Amino acid sequence: MISKVLIANRGEIALRIIAACRQAGLATVAVHSEADRDSLHVRMADEKVCIGPAYAAASYLNVTAVIAAAEITGADAIHPGYGFLAENAHFAEIVQECGLTWIGPPPEAIRAMGNKANARRTVTERGVPVLPGSSEPLGSRDEAVTLAEQIGFPVILKASAGGGGKGMRVARDARELRHVFETARHEAEKAFGVGDVYLEKYLTAPRHIEVQVMADAGGRVVALGERECSIQRRHQKLIEEAPSTVVDAELREKMCEAAIAAAAAVGYVSAGTVEFLYNDGEFYFMEMNTRIQVEHPVTEAVTGVDLLKEQLRVADGHALSIRKRPKMVGHAIEFRINAEDPVTFAPSPGEITELAFPLGPGVRVDTHIYRGYVVPPYYDSLLAKLIVHGRDRQEAIARARGALGMFLIGGVRTSIPLHLRIIDDADFEAGRLSTQFMDRYGNRE
Ligand code: ADP
């Protein structure tokens, strides 16, 4: 039985986990870097341990320090949140070897999906559609060109160990592919420590649509419907919504079945997301994220299922509280509010001098900021997530317009003005989305 949870994370997700633990009657331990001493997650947890300097490699990614903090405080479980150590199979193994409960998927499932070339092969064997491409890491430039010529240009090179949009390169012809091959390998090596790259067909304006899954140790896997995450800048999501405007009941059924097959293929347990690209009525597996995601609240809003609560239940050995796919009710949209220049996307750290949160029906804010909080320059720039829920998409957009307009954050620049422009965009209002949507707002690769 879990009784005390250490949260190996910071920011809004650390607070979200603390809230879920409190509701479940569990004690909490916050870990923090020297730069995060004044963070809200540190104040809200029952106990706190400083695990190192600001630099994430020395603190939030420091396996030894995190495990030591759990031992010192007598925590019996670790929730990794997203990012940092969440998809580190080695860390998950150590947690388990130390006799602690890992609130996440089995390390083998993380590993199987963490290598993307491998994941493509695994899901293909279960009949999940993938884009034409390589099923093994590419051995050489020539091999890449031969394969690209077979499947047809454009193609995209991706790091097998990739994530966060890093190490991806598009090539429109053989010359360009030869040119970017070594760059992509080098980038992959630098970012992930492994230079392996694979390639697949590049779709010029697809939609990113993903399916939330939840699984328990008894082998039950439930899909909770899709999220549309096509509005991205530099391959990073900015706005997510559920349901997607292009997914009808029949397509939803197929995508959910494919997501369940992918999760079952690796013996999945806990919350996970199967990401697909959608184009012209067809969808293709891209990767599986083996953790809770930033955008999980839109699914919570339309299904009424508390995903963090389910994660805690399942980690404690209980069955999921849901037996089958819940109905999606109404429409939800999440806006990521980052501390960044709304035009150049350059980070904007500093002190929050003024703050007012929006209120009203169908409005949720997940955040860790407060007036006087100093946004450190060391971590990602997410300040808050605004999630609106309405009876239909139109009502959700109207609620977003009201809420974004009443969301005051002073002292740092934020993406709020950009969101206000996007919701007035005729294509956004009509649900005509693609991953190229942000190009008109100055998105650069
Ligand atoms: P990461 O794990 O680094 O986030 P993903 O494989 O999830 O990488 O891809 C991130 C984004 O890159 C997608 O949401 C999409 O916008 C774009 N992308 C990836 N693969 C393709 C492809 N084959 N064709 C077109 N766009 C792609």
Side-chain angles (χ1 to χ4, degrees):
M1 281 278 285
I2 301 176
S3 63
K4 193 191 273 190
V5 178
L6 179 140
I7 298 109
N9 216 301
R10 63 181 302 283
E12 65 85 21
I13 195 64
L15 281 168
R16 171 76 183 92
I17 299 164
I18 292 171
C21 289
R22 280 180 181 269
Q23 287 169 26
L26 303 173
T28 51
V29 178
V31 293
H32 65 93
S33 69
E34 285 166 8
D36 275 342
R37 273 187 203 291
D38 297 326
S39 275
L40 222 42
H41 78 279
V42 178
R43 279 179 50 192
M44 296 295 181
D46 299 310
E47 290 171 76
K48 58 179 179 180
V49 182
C50 180
I51 51 166
Y55 187 44
S59 50
Y60 296 106
L61 291 169
N62 184 343
V63 172
T64 319
V66 174
I67 298 285
E71 291 191 338
I72 291 163
T73 54
D76 46 25
I78 295 190
H79 195 306
Y82 53 69
F84 296 126
L85 296 167
E87 289 175 283
N88 184 324
H90 181 61
F91 176 64
E93 267 162 8
I94 294 175
V95 168
Q96 293 182 338
E97 277 162 19
C98 291
L100 304 168
T101 299
W102 168 248
I103 306 175
E108 310 80 58
I110 302 178
R111 195 165 277 131
M113 288 298 182
N115 181 315
K116 296 211 221 170
N118 199 9
R120 264 175 67 91
R121 208 170 46 237
T122 307
V123 305
T124 311
E125 284 162 12
R126 299 292 179 115
V128 177
V130 296
L131 283 165
S134 50
S135 48
E136 302 283 341
L138 296 161
S140 68
R141 248 177 229 212
D142 289 339
E143 196 185 319
V145 172
T146 310
L147 181 66
E149 277 166 350
Q150 268 169 31
I151 64 178
F153 285 96
V155 295
I156 182 167
L157 281 172
K158 293 186 180 183
S160 295
K166 281 191 216 119
M168 293 193 295
R169 288 292 160 126
V170 179
R172 282 158 196 88
D173 53 42
R175 230 190 95 206
E176 198 175 7
L177 180 55
R178 283 187 182 283
H179 186 71
V180 297
F181 186 74
E182 286 308 322
T183 325
R185 282 185 57 89
H186 183 74
E187 250 180 48
E189 171 85 48
K190 225 174 78 187
F192 311 108
V194 204
D196 285 352
V197 293
Y198 68 102
L199 71 73
E200 65 185 22
K201 177 100 188 144
Y202 181 73
L203 300 171
T204 45
R207 286 172 179 251
H208 173 122
I209 301 176
E210 59 188 32
V211 172
Q212 174 72 52
V213 297
M214 222 23 257
D216 62 27
R220 184 190 295 164
V221 190
V222 175
L224 291 100
E226 82 282 2
R227 291 186 289 257
E228 160 101 50
C229 312
S230 297
I231 301 196
Q232 311 177 342
R233 51 125 181 65
R234 295 178 194 152
H235 302 299
Q236 300 267 25
K237 297 160 191 164
L238 199 59
I239 298 177
E240 302 96 345
E241 61 182 290
S244 162
T245 52
V246 287
V247 176
D248 59 16
E250 194 188 330
L251 180 59
R252 180 166 305 123
E253 186 64 34
K254 280 193 201 158
M255 293 185 85
C256 285
E257 282 310 312
I260 290 172
V266 296
Y268 205 80
V269 178
S270 195
T273 299
V274 182
E275 297 190 328
F276 299 101
L277 285 178
Y278 167 94
N279 197 37
D280 257 348
E282 302 290 327
F283 66 90
Y284 311 92
F285 172 87
M286 194 162 40
E287 65 168 338
M288 179 166 188
N289 290 322
T290 53
R291 52 168 157 82
I292 192 79
Q293 281 189 290
V294 175
E295 60 272 27
H296 76 273
V298 292
T299 299
E300 294 186 325
V302 293
T303 62
V305 176
D306 180 333
L307 292 168
L308 265 293
K309 183 174 163 187
E310 295 299 320
Q311 272 197 309
L312 294 174
R313 269 181 76 100
V314 166
D316 220 2
H318 301 292
L320 285 174
S321 76
I322 33 171
R323 297 192 167 275
K324 56 177 187 19
R325 174 149 44 96
K327 222 179 127 231
M328 290 208 242
V329 178
H331 199 98
I333 313 176
E334 173 181 278
F335 299 84
R336 296 195 193 192
I337 304 191
N338 300 316
E340 66 185 21
D341 187 289
V343 177
T344 63
F345 305 126
S348 175
E351 184 182 338
I352 310 263
T353 52
E354 206 186 4
L355 184 64
F357 292 122
L359 303 165
V363 175
R364 165 177 170 182
V365 178
D366 278 22
T367 185
H368 59 294
I369 62 171
Y370 56 88
R371 196 160 76 92
Y373 173 66
V374 181
V375 182
Y378 314 106
Y379 313 106
D380 85 342
S381 60
L382 185 68
L383 289 180
K385 308 186 300 201
L386 167 68
I387 304 100
V388 290
H389 186 211
R391 282 169 300 183
D392 52 29
R393 192 167 185 268
Q394 236 181 337
E395 188 173 62
I397 293 176
R399 286 186 166 161
R401 186 171 288 115
L404 286 163
M406 291 177 65
F407 205 147
L408 292 184
I409 303 179
V412 297
R413 272 162 300 183
T414 77
S415 43
I416 292 173
L418 175 64
H419 287 310
L420 280 164
R421 283 170 61 205
I422 295 172
I423 59 171
D424 280 338
D425 185 302
D427 283 337
F428 179 78
E429 281 191 280
R432 280 190 299 269
L433 309 178
S434 87
T435 56
Q436 308 305 306
F437 182 89
M438 287 301 292
D439 288 0
R440 73 192 78 163
Y441 294 92
N443 184 40
R444 287 167 286 125
E445 283 290 309

